[in-house]
């Protein structure tokens, strides 16, 4: 009987030890599985969060080519955009629209293009330099005749240009849209023949050709020209000049600034977003207005 009792006690003890091992193993497996699940649950958001953070913090730098007349207003709008989005801008090129097109033809990397005429943007489209589906009209402007600040020159009509004593600054129409518009206005009074670069004989020796509209404004402010053809927005951005006369709208084609995303842009969506911001952000609109630009309808 004793041996039976001892054996029962021994078997009971052995069963107890076996149960304890099973409990420990089971408990350990539970902890291990729970830990694995917790680890997986923790890793996934962390990984995704890191990925999202990387995407949101990805440095986007846009290269913008813009008409020379946007030189003052554009940097302020870009600064506002950087402040709101973190997107930065490379050294924006402000040149005559024709020169910008030539740079793009030569392989310049561009994200967004804004020209000062529909004709130059048409050239960009035909050359495959921009995505025509992204093109839209952004601004309109007026063609004005500027004089030096404080000058006593008076112009009441385009016809008065025939009697001006001194040089008249005009952008070279080959590359400068403002020069094309000026020639159209001069054509209405017979001082431009309509042939490329040919002015009426009595007027030709008085023309001071400028490589960009800013140069025309400079000629006027320094006295190298008595008057000059510029945009109304240029009166706001250049010192030393003031408006003498606004050319009638029917004397030249509408002055429209189209914008488009470059066909080779590596940040096409970001470029399109910026162009949209230029048109629709209230702060940006105030900047354009400050420099004399009107939004195209």
């Amino acid at each position: 009987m004793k041996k039976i009792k001892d054996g029962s006690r021994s078997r009971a003890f052995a069963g107890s030890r076996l149960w304890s091992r099973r409990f420990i193993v089971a408990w350990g497996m539970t902890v291990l599985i729970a830990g694995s699940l917790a680890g997986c649950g923790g890793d996934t958001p962390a990984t995704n969060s890191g990925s999202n953070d990387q995407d949101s913090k990805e440095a986007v730098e846009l290269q913008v080519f813009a008409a020379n007349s946007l030189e003052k207003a554009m940097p302020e709008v870009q600064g506002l955009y950087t402040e709101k989005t973190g997107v930065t801008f490379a050294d924006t090129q402000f040149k005559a629209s024709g020169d910008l097109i030539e740079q793009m033809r030569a392989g310049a990397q561009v994200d967004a293009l804004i020209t000062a005429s529909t004709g130059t943007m048409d050239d960009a489209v035909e050359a495959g330099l921009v995505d025509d589906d992204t093109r839209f009209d952004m601004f309109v402007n007026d063609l004005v005749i500027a004089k030096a600040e404080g000058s006593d020159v008076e112009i009441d009509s385009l016809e008065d240009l025939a009697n001006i004593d001194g040089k008249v600054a005009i952008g070279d129409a080959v590359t400068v849209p403002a020069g094309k518009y000026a020639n159209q206005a001069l054509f209405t009074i017979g001082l431009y023949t309509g042939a490329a670069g040919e002015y009426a004989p009595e007027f030709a020796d008085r023309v001071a050709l400028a490589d960009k509209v800013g140069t025309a404004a400079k000629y006027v402010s320094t006295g190298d020209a008595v008057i000059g053809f510029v945009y109304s927005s240029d009166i706001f951005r250049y010192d030393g000049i003031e408006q003498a006369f606004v050319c009638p709208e029917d004397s030249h084609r509408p002055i429209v600034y189209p914008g488009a995303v470059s066909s080779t842009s590596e940040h096409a969506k970001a470029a399109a977003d910026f162009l949209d911001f230029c048109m629709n952000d209230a702060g940006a609109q105030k900047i354009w207005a400050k420099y004399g630009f009107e939004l195209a309808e």
Side-chain angles (χ1 to χ4, degrees), residues 13 26 54 61 90 118 129 131 137 143 204 221 252 270 281 286:
F13 178 73
Q54 184 177 358
E61 183 181 66
T118 56
L129 301 175
D131 180 356
D137 293 338
L143 182 69
S221 66
H252 58 81
D281 181 82
K286 289 181 180 179

Side-chain angles (χ1 to χ4, degrees), residues 8 12 18 22 33 61-62 65 67 84 91-92 108 119 126 147 166 168 216 219 230 235 244 259 261 264 279 285 297:
S8 297
L18 179 59
R22 288 175 178 172
I33 292 171
E61 183 181 66
L62 296 177
F65 273 22
K84 290 191 173 185
D91 184 20
T92 300
E126 291 174 6
K147 64 180 182 178
V168 179
Y219 286 167
V230 299
I235 302 298
V261 176
T264 60
M279 299 297 293
Q285 291 174 355
E297 295 180 357

Side-chain angles (χ1 to χ4, degrees), residues 5 26 28 71 83 89 119 151-152 165 177-178 182 191 200 211 215 217 242 244 294:
K5 289 182 180 180
E71 187 176 14
E83 181 181 318
F89 296 86
S151 169
D152 58 2
D165 183 19
L191 294 183
D211 62 346
T215 303
E242 61 184 63
E294 296 178 28

Side-chain angles (χ1 to χ4, degrees), residues 212-224:
K212 55 187 177 181
V213 70
T215 303
K218 181 179 179 181
Y219 286 167
V220 174
S221 66
T222 59
D224 292 317

Side-chain angles (χ1 to χ4, degrees), residues 120-140:
T120 46
M121 186 60 79
D122 289 342
D123 292 341
V125 170
E126 291 174 6
L129 301 175
V130 297
D131 180 356
D132 193 30
D133 290 338
T134 67
R135 172 181 175 171
F136 65 97
D137 293 338
M138 299 182 67
F139 316 110
V140 295

Side-chain angles (χ1 to χ4, degrees), residues 12-59:
F13 178 73
S16 175
R17 291 171 60 188
L18 179 59
W19 181 88
S20 298
R21 285 197 299 270
R22 288 175 178 172
F23 175 81
I24 293 171
V25 171
W27 179 82
M29 289 297 293
T30 301
V31 172
L32 180 60
I33 292 171
S36 298
L37 290 174
C40 291
D43 289 343
T44 301
T47 301
N48 290 341
S49 176
S51 176
N52 290 338
D53 288 345
Q54 184 177 358
D55 291 342
S56 64
K57 294 179 181 179
E58 181 184 356

Side-chain angles (χ1 to χ4, degrees), residues 96-102 117 119-120 123 170-181 183 192 195-199 209-212:
S97 297
D99 289 338
L100 295 176
I101 300 299
E102 289 308 309
S117 74
T120 46
D123 292 341
I170 302 174
D172 186 348
V174 174
T175 57
V176 185
K180 294 180 181 179
Y181 297 126
N183 287 349
Y192 184 74
E198 292 188 11
Y199 296 92
L209 283 182
D211 62 346
K212 55 187 177 181

Side-chain angles (χ1 to χ4, degrees), residues 183-250:
N183 287 349
Q184 291 164 11
L186 291 169
F187 179 79
T188 65
I189 57 173
L191 294 183
Y192 184 74
T193 67
E198 292 188 11
Y199 296 92
E202 69 273 19
F203 186 72
D205 61 349
R206 293 165 50 204
V207 174
L209 283 182
D211 62 346
K212 55 187 177 181
V213 70
T215 303
K218 181 179 179 181
Y219 286 167
V220 174
S221 66
T222 59
D224 292 317
V226 177
I227 57 173
F229 284 88
V230 299
Y231 297 122
S232 59
S233 57
D234 295 318
I235 302 298
F236 293 86
R237 72 190 186 107
Y238 290 114
D239 296 329
I241 64 172
E242 61 184 63
Q243 181 175 295
F245 181 73
V246 180
C247 298
E249 290 184 2
D250 60 0

